[in-house]
Amino acid sequence: MLAFAHDDRTAGLYTITVSQFALVFMLSAVAVAVPALGREFGASASQLGLVESGYISAVAMLLFPVTRLSDKIGRGTTFAAGMALFTVMSVILPVCHTINQFIVLRVFQGGGGAMMVSTGLAIIADLYPGPGRAKAMGIVSAGVYLGLSVGPWLGGLIVTHFGWRWIFYGGALPCAVGFLLTLKTLPVRPVVAKGVRFDFGGALFIALGMILLSQGGSHLDGRFGVYMLVGGVFFLLCFVFWEGRAKAPLLSLALFSGNPAFSLGSAAQFISYAAIYGITFLLSLYLQVAQGMTASEAGFILMVQPIMQVIFSVISGKWCERWSPHLVATAGMGLATVGLGAAIFLGAAPSLLFTAAILALCGAGTAMFATANMAVIMGAVNRENYGVASAVVAAMRTTGMTVSLVFISGVFAVIVGPVALTHDNAGVFIKAMNLAFIALTVFSALGVLMSAKGRLEVRKGSAGEGKGPGQRG
């Protein structure tokens, strides 16, 4: 366990909080900036999908490899390298000349994000080994929620008045300050740990799988895209097969064996993000392309979802102490499914109140589900497996986000085609959007059933000393 001075701990906490804010802010703000990017670069709808899915897939494919790398060379070293890469990419991205350049650099930025995501909370645990850890985690969570809340609104204002490039310049500034603080307060000198083996086979399989999956979705209008999509699924299956037999796996599958609460909770986590995550991307395009709103106006409407997430994250935590977390998670997933189902009926006629209601339902439902499902998952494992369980939760989240955007890109590629998205073809876009919402609603309903099934499963000592509120039946 590393020892830190009080001032260094405070600075380290600030650094981690800034990094989490920047990651989430960049995601939500860029979603609002996507139409402006499309107009400037003449990008097709499927290419615009890659702007987000390329970033998320990079985080997903590197999450487990980077976690193992940090065990070998040090968390501080990995975190500092990630923050440096993320900051440099934020400065370079605005000077891109083509959408393809932009997409490639977003993938590299996602690599930096993966290094920060996989090590940030573990560093907080090192900084606050005893009293104060819960408060520190709360401050970091506040940074995440702040990024979610202000991203659409502030991003929209920036795009409308200054241009989309200033989203990246603005995000790079706090990261640059955080990087300097990292060098000053955290142990960033590499210290190679002996006996830590790296699973190169697993890293290769998950990288190939996520790359082909994200690329295949955006090229689904041609045969080559179908081949890439099938290849992506094949390599991800190879990853699971390999991890079950590797001597030092990136992901230990033992947690899933004979533990239905953990397995079903993790599966429901994946389904939740796969079904819900794309709604901000879709409605940002809908408000600006079909309804003719400015980025700032659309961002103001999109704020409804993160605000509801902030409110219901606090409320649902209290509900989990009163009722079974399984029950709260299932109710939240059901509420989000209703919101997705309502989105099927969005059309060309403006309906801002209806759109806000959809965002409110999805925001409240996902917050209820996420809080309660975390209690279910963490209550289903022993204390010594909390770290691995947290990594699995993050992996299910990022993989679900990737699949959501890949699916939407595929729908756009097939229905809209390789043409720039403008108000002139808004009717075709709405058709594609409605079809996407139908499929996402059905998928979300599957998550409701899976979450409800988890409540009915009888566990026979599978959680050991890790039993907690998440295990109430």
Side-chain angles (χ1 to χ4, degrees):
M1 184 66 66
L2 299 172
F4 295 89
H6 178 74
D7 290 343
D8 286 349
R9 290 205 310 174
T10 302
L13 175 59
Y14 166 77
T15 302
I16 302 299
T17 303
V18 166
S19 73
Q20 302 304 305
F21 168 84
L23 289 170
V24 177
F25 170 80
M26 198 73 78
L27 269 177
S28 55
V30 170
V32 180
V34 160
L37 278 164
R39 287 192 297 271
E40 178 167 333
F41 292 130
S44 66
S46 57
Q47 285 177 318
L48 294 181
L50 274 174
V51 169
E52 293 286 71
S53 65
Y55 175 92
I56 294 297
S57 63
V59 175
M61 75 180 185
L62 292 174
L63 190 63
F64 287 118
V66 166
T67 299
R68 180 55 57 89
L69 178 67
S70 68
D71 291 338
K72 189 170 185 64
I73 67 173
R75 291 169 182 158
T77 305
T78 306
F79 180 83
M83 180 163 275
L85 180 59
F86 189 89
T87 305
V88 170
M89 289 300 106
S90 297
V91 175
I92 297 177
L93 275 163
V95 300
C96 289
H97 298 293
T98 68
I99 189 64
N100 290 329
Q101 290 177 357
F102 190 91
I103 291 169
V104 170
L105 292 178
R106 277 286 278 173
V107 171
F108 279 98
Q109 189 180 42
M115 294 170 126
M116 290 191 281
V117 167
S118 62
T119 55
L121 293 181
I123 290 174
I124 291 294
D126 287 338
L127 291 171
Y128 295 86
R133 177 182 291 180
K135 182 179 179 181
M137 292 289 188
I139 292 173
V140 174
S141 297
V144 173
Y145 289 135
L146 182 62
L148 280 173
S149 299
V150 306
W153 171 70
L154 185 57
L157 283 177
I158 292 172
V159 172
T160 300
H161 298 290
F162 302 101
W164 63 265
R165 288 173 172 80
W166 284 96
I167 287 180
F168 294 95
Y169 291 140
L173 182 59
C175 285
V177 174
F179 175 69
L180 295 177
L181 285 173
T182 299
L183 297 179
K184 181 178 183 297
T185 61
L186 298 180
V188 297
R189 185 185 299 273
V191 178
V192 179
K194 297 181 179 179
V196 177
R197 303 177 63 179
F198 190 81
D199 180 12
F200 288 100
L204 178 62
F205 282 135
I206 194 171
L208 289 173
M210 297 310 299
I211 290 172
L212 290 174
L213 194 68
S214 61
Q215 288 291 323
S218 65
H219 295 87
L220 204 55
D221 55 330
R223 184 177 299 178
F224 190 58
V226 175
Y227 292 156
M228 287 194 290
L229 201 61
V230 172
V233 173
F234 171 76
F235 282 115
L236 289 178
L237 291 175
C238 288
F239 170 74
V240 174
F241 180 82
W242 178 275
E243 294 303 286
R245 291 156 179 77
K247 294 182 179 179
L250 299 176
L251 170 62
S252 175
L253 300 182
L255 280 177
F256 297 90
S257 177
N259 192 346
F262 182 82
S263 301
L264 290 171
S266 299
Q269 177 90 352
F270 166 79
I271 290 175
S272 173
Y273 279 91
I276 299 294
Y277 180 73
I279 191 170
T280 301
F281 176 75
L282 284 171
L283 291 187
S284 174
L285 288 172
Y286 170 73
L287 292 172
Q288 296 181 68
V289 174
Q291 302 300 328
M293 285 187 172
T294 65
S296 60
E297 291 170 340
F300 184 78
I301 299 295
L302 293 172
M303 275 184 66
V304 172
Q305 183 178 0
I307 288 175
M308 294 297 286
Q309 287 174 321
V310 172
I311 295 172
F312 277 84
S313 290
V314 177
I315 296 175
S316 60
K318 296 179 180 179
W319 286 347
C320 288
E321 296 177 356
R322 182 178 302 179
W323 299 298
S324 166
H326 280 101
L327 182 63
V328 178
T330 303
M333 195 75 177
L335 196 62
T337 304
V338 172
L340 284 172
I344 296 171
F345 301 98
L346 287 170
S351 182
L352 299 184
L353 185 61
F354 186 49
T355 304
I358 291 169
L359 289 165
L361 286 171
C362 290
T366 52
M368 289 171 58
F369 171 81
T371 302
N373 196 56
M374 177 63 79
V376 171
I377 291 174
M378 299 307 288
V381 299
N382 297 321
R383 293 184 182 276
E384 59 265 26
N385 290 320
Y386 280 178
V388 179
S390 297
V392 170
V393 170
M396 292 298 102
R397 180 174 62 247
T398 52
T399 305
M401 292 159 71
T402 302
V403 169
S404 181
L405 292 171
V406 167
F407 168 73
I408 292 170
S409 296
V411 172
F412 283 164
V414 172
I415 297 180
V416 181
V419 297
L421 200 58
T422 65
H423 187 70
D424 294 334
N425 56 10
V428 181
F429 162 75
I430 291 175
K431 178 183 177 182
M433 180 186 72
N434 291 339
L435 179 61
F437 275 129
I438 291 173
L440 294 176
T441 301
V442 173
F443 197 50
S444 185
L446 175 63
V448 176
L449 295 176
M450 192 163 292
S451 181
K453 183 181 179 182
R455 175 175 168 78
L456 301 176
E457 291 289 343
V458 179
R459 295 178 300 280
K460 299 178 180 180
S462 61
E465 66 176 278
K467 290 181 179 180
Q471 290 182 294
R472 292 182 297 213

